[in-house]
Amino acid sequence: QVQLVESGGGLVQPGGSLRLSCAASGTIFRLYTMGWYRQAPGKQRDLVAQIFSDGNTNYDASVAGRFTISRENAKNTLYLQMDSLKPEDTAVYYCTATWATRAYWGQGTQVTVSS
């Protein structure tokens, strides 16, 4: 069982930066593929970025070059560094952990990009 808790969301101006964190507990963090999804009101939940157990990463085209996903296995923590934020990045961001048939979700953290 994995429990995930996101933090770091908030209000930021366009062009600003924010770093999200996801603290994981209850299992061996390093085995899991970790990811960030986001969902804006009235829209589907979309994958933003993911990082595999070997450190390889995958980004949605909308955030590539602006966001950086990373993991610190020793601290069981996932990060999403968000730079050059745009209003369209506004959403609830969710942390995920998956391995084989196992999948876990955090409760989400709100990111609002507005002047």
Side-chain angles (χ1 to χ4, degrees), residues 65-85:
R66 299 188 298 119
F67 291 8
T68 303
I69 189 171
S70 62
R71 64 196 298 163
E72 192 167 359
N73 289 341
K75 295 184 177 181
N76 283 9
T77 303
L78 174 74
Y79 303 98
L80 185 67
Q81 179 66 44
M82 310 164 70
D83 298 320
S84 301
L85 283 162

Side-chain angles (χ1 to χ4, degrees), residues 3 8 15 20 23 26 31-32 36 47-48 57 62 80 82 84 94 100:
Q3 296 174 345
L20 306 183
L31 296 178
Y32 286 79
W36 291 98
L47 176 68
V48 176
T57 58
S62 66
L80 185 67
M82 310 164 70
S84 301
Y94 298 89

Side-chain angles (χ1 to χ4, degrees), residues 24-39:
S25 64
T27 190
I28 302 175
F29 178 81
R30 64 178 179 82
L31 296 178
Y32 286 79
T33 294
M34 303 296 296
W36 291 98
Y37 283 73
R38 66 185 180 186
Q39 186 171 28

Side-chain angles (χ1 to χ4, degrees), residues 84-106:
S84 301
L85 283 162
K86 304 175 180 179
E88 51 263 44
D89 295 319
T90 296
V92 177
Y93 284 70
Y94 298 89
C95 173
T96 68
T98 60
W99 183 66
T101 60
R102 304 177 184 182
Y104 304 93
W105 292 79

